[in-house]
Amino acid sequence: MIQEQEVHAAEMERTFIAIKPDGVQRGLIAEIISRFERKGFKLVAVKLVVPSKEFAQKHYHDLKERPFFNGLCDFLSSGPVLAMVWEGEGVIKYGRKLIGATDPQKSEPGTIRGDLAVVVGRNIIHGSDGLETAKDEINLWFKPEELVSYTSNAQKWVYGVN
Ligand code: IDP
Ligand code: MG
């Protein structure tokens, strides 16, 4: 049984999820958190912060050549962002599924952007797109001691491992 637990622990991954200033201002924090929580993912860190423009530029450094980069960084730094780390099996890829396509017009109904946003410049949420970016983004937004280590009692029911 212990062995099974260890196998499961090895499959756990973490992703960085942020509710952007539009999502915070529109009162969508609880709605968005509930979708990750109900799915069975585990919250390991959360904080409300107003990032500086320089910080936003670091977060979106991959997009620095894009024409919308400056406006995007201005926007991300324009107000409170709810920064989070979620943990679970497949959470990086499935988190992106919960979020939906970048352009809300192309997001399926039932996804966060599909249900709650209309235009790409105000698509309310960010989610890491891969294992390496998840690690980089978690390190950028959180200090190691801000990641809370605890046993979630739900996990044994979510994963069926005792
Ligand atoms: P993602 O958030 O779905 O991962 P990315 O391509 O990484 O999408 O782009 C980051 C963010 O940049 C998007 O969430 C969106 O807010 C913004 N963005 C992407 N493409 C456009 C665009 O064509 N016009 C304006 N903003 C854009
Ligand atoms: Mg992205």
Side-chain angles (χ1 to χ4, degrees):
M1 215 179 299
I2 287 165
Q3 222 172 7
E4 215 179 329
Q5 241 172 355
E6 281 166 359
V7 168
H8 242 89
E11 287 165 1
M12 284 301 167
E13 53 183 44
R14 288 176 170 182
T15 192
F16 173 71
I17 301 291
I19 305 178
K20 298 180 192 179
D22 48 347
V24 173
Q25 292 292 348
R26 289 179 52 202
L28 296 174
I29 289 174
E31 166 74 38
I32 291 170
I33 286 184
S34 78
R35 293 182 182 218
F36 282 83
E37 200 174 34
R38 287 182 312 188
K39 169 74 175 164
F41 293 137
K42 178 182 165 188
L43 184 64
V44 297
V46 59
K47 64 180 173 186
L48 190 65
V49 286
V50 181
S52 67
K53 181 153 184 196
E54 292 67 34
F55 191 92
Q57 287 165 338
K58 273 190 206 165
H59 172 75
Y60 279 128
H61 68 274
D62 280 355
L63 299 171
K64 62 176 180 291
E65 308 302 335
R66 307 294 289 273
F68 55 82
F69 178 70
N70 191 50
L72 176 63
C73 294
D74 274 339
F75 178 63
L76 192 73
S77 57
S78 69
V81 170
L82 193 81
M84 297 176 276
V85 177
W86 286 89
E87 182 181 280
E89 197 172 308
V91 70
I92 299 172
K93 202 167 170 197
Y94 207 88
R96 297 276 296 186
K97 271 195 181 180
L98 287 176
I99 288 170
T102 302
D103 180 353
Q105 297 285 345
K106 294 180 181 146
S107 303
E108 294 297 326
T111 64
I112 292 167
R113 286 169 175 164
D115 289 350
L116 306 170
V118 181
V119 297
V120 71
R122 294 293 182 273
N123 63 6
I124 70 171
I125 181 167
H126 167 85
S128 306
D129 63 9
L131 199 56
E132 284 312 308
T133 36
K135 279 182 189 153
D136 291 349
E137 290 171 359
I138 290 168
N139 287 336
L140 176 66
W141 287 81
F142 289 96
K143 300 183 190 114
E145 62 268 26
E146 291 176 313
L147 305 175
V148 180
S149 174
Y150 68 104
T151 302
S152 159
N153 286 314
Q155 299 298 288
K156 62 175 181 266
W157 299 103
V158 171
Y159 293 97
V161 177
N162 286 308

